[in-house]
Amino acid sequence: MSTNDAESATGPDERGRTAAEIVAQARVRAPTRGNRRLEALLDGVNSDPELRAWWHMAQVTSERLGMSDHSWVHVQIVLNIALRILRLLVRAGIESAMVADHSMGRRDAEVVVAAGALLHDVGMSIHRSDHEAYSLFLAERKLRELLADVYDEPNRTVVVSEALHAIIGHRRRGEPYTLEAGVVRVADALDMAQGRSRVPVDAGRVGIHALSAAAIDEVVIEAGEERPVRVEIRMNNSAGIFQVDDLLATKLRGTPLESHVEVIAAVEGETEKRLLREFRLPEG
């Protein structure tokens, strides 16, 4: 799977448009593979105007700050990457917390991962700083609503709690304890392919973060030979290594995924793309 398969757009430009217009367009898709509980969650999300309005506000906050996409497009990409990684791990016999700790099933683990991915950034609708924590108090009520007809108690509380753990675990020092939370954390970092992180460059920001992001052409996630998951990052310039090391490695390190994922980053072709003509200090 290439992350470009999920969505190649940079993300919608949502400032200056009505919330009703944006919410009507926001709709996430992912392969459910017959998981009825996951289907019910996605159906509920796609028919929930409040949640989709949070996605819109998260993107407005992102655009105000000149950041990369945090809209429903980002949410969909993270959702698809997370489910892909989880399924590869399960296929290799790696046990999720839903199975190991709660004697539930792999399909329940998919619901937890999807819920975490779908609501991990809703706190951006309030503020960028500590948005992971703000996401928690928005997501707790919303997940109970979305899962009301999917799980009875006490299983509903178990699923909601594990999803909330995945949400808070995606912050930089989130320390996820579960496989599901680690999957969401790493999936969030893997939304870095071509067209996804170039907003800072297009806006004239030429720091190492922007240049490194612009160097990532494609991210491919497959079953590995030495480890269950192989992540191949194809770059047009070796500056992309900074993005891989500073963002992805930080998100992967210390998670339950660390020993199950191999990451290979390589520059495609014999020559590197020139990302910057010159750099001046001071800027402006």
Side-chain angles (χ1 to χ4, degrees):
M1 169 193 173
S2 166
T3 58
N4 288 342
D5 293 340
E7 184 67 55
S8 60
T10 304
D13 182 4
E14 299 188 6
R15 292 179 74 189
R17 300 164 65 187
T18 67
E21 177 187 1
I22 298 298
V23 167
Q25 295 175 345
R27 184 175 181 84
V28 295
R29 305 176 303 278
T32 58
R33 297 186 179 179
N35 185 339
R36 298 293 180 84
R37 288 169 175 167
L38 179 58
E39 289 172 4
L41 174 61
L42 293 179
D43 288 344
V45 164
N46 285 323
S47 61
D48 192 307
E50 182 180 41
L51 173 52
R52 289 180 291 160
W54 288 338
W55 290 342
H56 166 54
M57 285 304 302
Q59 177 64 5
V60 169
T61 297
S62 178
E63 291 176 21
R64 286 170 177 165
L65 299 175
M67 296 177 61
S68 57
D69 175 34
H70 281 76
S71 71
W72 66 269
V73 177
H74 169 67
V75 170
Q76 175 168 277
I77 291 174
V78 173
L79 169 66
N80 278 270
I81 292 174
L83 288 173
R84 171 67 170 168
I85 292 174
L86 178 66
R87 287 165 177 165
L88 287 172
L89 291 168
V90 170
R91 186 193 304 173
I94 310 302
E95 211 168 46
S96 67
M98 295 304 290
V99 173
D101 296 344
H102 305 298
S103 295
M104 296 177 71
R106 60 178 179 81
R107 292 179 180 268
D108 301 303
E110 290 183 356
V111 173
V112 168
V113 163
L118 289 163
L119 285 94
H120 77 283
D121 272 342
V122 292
M124 281 274 288
S125 64
I126 300 171
H127 203 283
R128 170 61 181 176
S129 297
D130 295 324
H131 73 277
E132 303 93 345
Y134 298 139
S135 293
L136 294 180
F137 69 74
L138 296 178
E140 197 275 341
R141 170 180 63 84
K142 182 56 63 181
L143 284 174
R144 289 191 174 277
E145 293 174 6
L146 292 168
L147 299 174
D149 296 327
V150 181
Y151 291 96
D152 294 326
E153 291 293 358
N155 285 346
R156 186 188 310 135
T157 291
V158 169
V159 172
V160 170
S161 297
E162 293 290 11
L164 294 176
H165 176 66
I167 289 171
I168 198 65
H170 93 276
R171 62 184 174 182
R172 193 168 183 88
R173 295 179 176 83
E175 299 181 4
Y177 306 146
T178 67
L179 190 74
E180 292 90 328
V183 165
V184 173
R185 178 180 174 87
V186 172
D188 182 45
L190 283 172
D191 182 14
M192 61 168 65
Q194 184 176 18
R196 297 296 311 150
S197 302
R198 298 196 174 192
V199 172
V201 175
D202 293 341
R205 302 187 179 192
V206 292
I208 184 59
H209 290 277
L211 289 173
S212 181
I216 308 297
D217 275 343
E218 189 177 17
V219 178
V220 178
I221 303 167
E222 300 174 327
E225 295 181 2
E226 299 180 3
R227 298 186 179 190
V229 180
R230 173 188 171 95
V231 177
E232 184 177 338
I233 301 171
R234 299 170 183 172
M235 306 181 295
N236 58 61
N237 187 285
S238 53
I241 292 297
F242 181 85
Q243 183 86 353
V244 175
D245 185 56
D246 185 63
L247 178 61
L248 178 57
T250 299
K251 288 294 186 81
L252 182 59
R253 192 175 297 118
T255 72
L257 270 70
E258 187 173 9
S259 62
H260 303 308
V261 177
E262 55 179 329
V263 179
I264 295 90
V267 176
E268 297 282 288
E270 297 180 0
T271 60
E272 297 194 13
K273 180 178 179 180
R274 184 170 68 179
L275 298 175
L276 183 67
R277 184 176 298 275
E278 65 177 20
F279 182 78
R280 293 173 179 260
L281 290 174
E283 296 182 55

